[in-house]
Amino acid sequence: MSSPRKRVLVVLAQGFEEIEALTTVDILRRAAVEVTVASVAHELSVTGSRGVTVVADALLADVKESEMHAIVLPGGLPGARNLASSENVLRIVRSFLSNPAKYVAAICAAPAVVLNAHGFMQGREGVCHPNLEGEMCPIPISIRNERVFVDGNLITSRGPGTAADFAFTLVAHLAGEARAREVAAPMLYPDECRAVHTRGE
């Protein structure tokens, strides 16, 4: 009996970082993970920080987050700050972090601007974009340059250049390492790029 498909919620706000959001959506869907792209605004069209407009699958207010296994928070400015001002986003993050069976995945500005700004990084470690480290919880020197860092059910990453690493890490946690390798191979994505540091290792 096959296990049910994993479902991931990718949340977009005006000014999101296009590479981080769309690379993650693409790789997750290649891995047969069911992705719902949700807009935090009152309209489905969302424009990124570089002017790329995406039509979301749903409004966040209409999504049943109980059916989701993970939430992804792309970076980008002002996108991450717009995510941070969404009560729905904060409520889902709070709920998922308290549930070991769910994941919160944040990249670039989002770990600092969304998670740390609202106290979600307390007692946890993570990475973010170097330009936002001043708004982040203290980052241990030993992990500061990690492309992706996993602390329990929290996955954080640094920026557009680490977006694929970030997405494959989420695939590995949701669908297994073998599935991540299977998807990476025809993309010519080298295994060494997917080395991930986990807290406690």
Side-chain angles (χ1 to χ4, degrees):
M1 182 177 176
S2 61
S3 57
R5 287 178 67 183
K6 298 296 185 180
R7 296 177 175 176
V8 173
L9 177 63
V10 177
V11 187
L12 301 185
Q14 296 294 334
F16 70 92
E17 212 302 317
E18 290 94 334
I19 291 176
E20 295 162 3
L22 300 180
T23 298
T24 302
V25 171
D26 180 286
I27 290 173
L28 287 170
R29 286 182 172 166
R30 288 173 189 253
V33 174
E34 188 174 325
V35 179
T36 297
V37 178
S39 167
V40 302
H42 298 295
E43 57 185 357
L44 293 176
S45 293
V46 190
T47 301
S49 59
R50 300 302 184 271
V52 177
T53 298
V54 172
V55 178
D57 301 311
L59 301 180
L60 182 58
D62 296 331
V63 172
K64 293 182 179 178
E65 66 266 17
S66 62
E67 298 179 351
M68 301 294 167
H69 298 92
I71 182 172
V72 173
L73 307 175
L77 294 174
R81 297 199 191 280
N82 289 331
L83 290 179
S85 67
S86 167
E87 288 301 324
N88 281 334
V89 169
L90 300 179
R91 176 178 52 78
I92 295 169
V93 168
R94 186 176 299 108
S95 171
F96 280 24
L97 284 177
S98 67
N99 183 344
K102 309 260 187 176
Y103 289 91
V104 172
I107 184 169
C108 192
V113 171
V114 181
L115 301 183
N116 191 56
H118 289 278
F120 295 122
M121 294 301 301
Q122 187 172 356
R124 293 180 179 264
E125 294 179 354
V127 295
C128 68
H129 194 282
N131 290 349
L132 275 299
E133 287 182 358
E135 297 185 43
M136 185 63 165
C137 61
I139 301 175
I141 293 175
S142 61
I143 72 167
R144 182 162 290 156
N145 293 323
E146 294 294 334
R147 294 170 68 82
V148 182
F149 187 78
V150 180
D151 185 347
N153 64 343
L154 174 63
I155 300 169
T156 54
S157 189
R158 303 184 73 206
T162 66
D165 310 51
F166 174 70
F168 277 118
T169 300
L170 192 51
V171 170
H173 279 78
L174 292 173
E177 181 61 32
R179 184 62 177 148
R181 285 200 189 98
E182 182 182 346
V183 174
M187 291 177 62
L188 307 183
Y189 195 79
D191 274 348
E192 56 266 27
C193 289
R194 297 194 303 104
V196 175
H197 193 89
T198 300
R199 187 173 184 179
E201 288 186 349

